Amino acid sequence: IFEKFQNNKNVTSISITPRMFQMLGNIAISSDDPESKSLNEIINGIRSFKALITGSYDIITQMTKWVEATSKKEDFDHIFTITEENIKMNIYAKYREDDSALKTILIFSKGFSNDQNNSKENTKKVEVFLLLVEGNISIENISKLIGIMNLPGSDQLKKAGI
């Protein structure tokens, strides 16, 4: 699905390759700065990072079907749901064989807001965020990375204590 929509004008696409993570991990980071240490730990654990953000109803429908099918087909565990006033976020995971960390995390978030550009009252604008991260990762580190990148869902993860 990421390849399908990466060049679509109605989708914001983010894809960070394993090579880029290797290069970021090799950057000298001050060992005295706890935030830099934490960022370096996050970077070194990630092999692949792909995200899609859209407000297109047709694409949202396709993404929703993809998440439902992939989470079942790939045997993801549905580990977390956050439902807040206008946002619903589902988090799915695949664990490493020794259960010490996650090897894949899939986050699907759907948010609604009032559409200020539409003359009809009570019209809702929808935005969907889909994230797939692979590597040796913890959900806490993904939450930190989402926060650092200021991606949708970071506030909900903070409120949930992640």
Side-chain angles (χ1 to χ4, degrees):
I1 194 138
F2 294 94
E3 291 76 18
K4 179 178 182 178
F5 292 116
Q6 70 185 0
N7 294 316
N8 187 301
K9 67 179 182 174
N10 296 314
V11 176
T12 299
S13 174
I14 302 167
S15 180
I16 304 173
T17 65
R19 181 72 179 135
M20 184 64 185
F21 279 111
Q22 286 176 338
M23 290 176 7
L24 290 171
N26 290 332
I27 294 174
I29 295 179
S30 169
S31 61
D32 296 336
D33 181 12
E35 191 171 311
S36 293
K37 280 183 180 179
S38 177
L39 182 59
N40 199 31
E41 178 184 313
I42 294 168
I43 290 169
N44 285 325
I46 296 175
R47 285 193 343 264
S48 175
F49 183 101
K50 297 177 182 177
L52 299 173
I53 304 167
T54 190
S56 165
Y57 287 99
D58 291 337
I59 296 171
I60 290 169
T61 299
Q62 291 178 59
M63 289 169 65
T64 302
K65 288 178 182 176
W66 181 87
V67 168
E68 290 169 357
T70 300
S71 63
K72 290 175 185 167
K73 182 177 128 186
E74 298 291 327
D75 203 25
F76 277 89
D77 287 334
H78 186 188
I79 62 169
F80 211 86
T81 299
I82 301 170
T83 304
E84 195 175 34
E85 186 176 326
N86 294 320
I87 294 175
K88 182 172 183 180
M89 178 183 287
N90 288 295
I91 303 173
Y92 304 86
K94 283 179 146 181
Y95 295 88
R96 300 197 64 73
E97 292 194 18
D98 63 2
D99 284 341
S100 63
L102 304 174
K103 66 178 181 179
T104 309
I105 189 163
L106 176 66
I107 299 176
F108 186 61
S109 176
K110 188 182 288 187
F112 299 92
S113 62
N114 289 326
D115 188 351
Q116 302 297 327
N117 297 323
N118 197 321
S119 60
K120 297 178 185 176
E121 288 187 36
N122 298 325
T123 301
K124 297 286 185 180
K125 179 181 176 190
V126 66
E127 183 175 70
V128 164
F129 171 65
L130 176 63
L131 174 68
L132 180 69
V133 181
E134 297 173 310
N136 185 14
I137 49 181
S138 71
I139 194 158
E140 295 85 7
N141 285 345
I142 294 302
S143 176
K144 288 178 192 175
L145 187 60
I146 289 171
I148 290 167
M149 296 178 74
N150 198 27
L151 294 172
S154 62
D155 291 340
Q156 288 69 35
L157 291 172
K158 284 179 193 171
K159 286 179 184 177
I162 298 174

